[in-house]
Amino acid sequence: LLSETKSVPCVCTGDLIRMHIAQKTALGQQYASHILNGQLLPDEVTTALTYDAVKDCDEFILDGYPRTSTSAQLWSQQQHNKEINCVVHWWMDEGI
């Protein structure tokens, strides 16, 4: 909704990962092996994947990134010239 209202792209890292797996790209095969082994993708991988999706955007909304403080630090350290200036963390009671 916010993406539509502000006319900025929303990049969902989960969707990107599933797309690569479905298209059987080289990256998708790497992602699938992690997932099949019950492992999370390394922060370096999700950071590179996310940056690649927004590198040509002036503004964007990220969904599912950063998930860890390490991912946020990697983004800052790599100085992608794409500043993350706001993070919203939704927390809901499991009973809802």
Side-chain angles (χ1 to χ4, degrees), residues 47-81:
T47 299
L49 174 70
T50 304
Y51 176 71
D52 190 56
V54 300
K55 65 183 176 193
D56 296 325
C57 300
D58 292 328
E59 296 180 307
F60 49 88
I61 297 171
L62 298 177
D63 179 353
Y65 183 91
R67 285 199 170 192
T68 66
S69 58
T70 302
S71 290
Q73 290 169 353
L74 281 169
W75 187 276
S76 294
Q77 289 169 356
Q78 294 174 6
Q79 298 185 5
H80 289 302
N81 296 325

Side-chain angles (χ1 to χ4, degrees), residues 15-86:
D15 289 347
L16 290 172
I17 292 165
R18 286 186 287 277
M19 178 194 71
H20 278 280
I21 291 171
Q23 293 178 356
K24 299 182 180 179
T25 66
L27 289 174
Q29 291 172 358
Q30 290 176 17
Y31 302 159
S33 70
H34 277 88
I35 293 167
L36 289 173
N37 290 318
Q39 302 170 334
L40 296 175
L41 293 176
D43 289 319
E44 296 82 4
V45 171
T46 55
T47 299
L49 174 70
T50 304
Y51 176 71
D52 190 56
V54 300
K55 65 183 176 193
D56 296 325
C57 300
D58 292 328
E59 296 180 307
F60 49 88
I61 297 171
L62 298 177
D63 179 353
Y65 183 91
R67 285 199 170 192
T68 66
S69 58
T70 302
S71 290
Q73 290 169 353
L74 281 169
W75 187 276
S76 294
Q77 289 169 356
Q78 294 174 6
Q79 298 185 5
H80 289 302
N81 296 325
K82 300 286 182 186
E83 183 178 332
I84 296 175
N85 56 21
C86 178

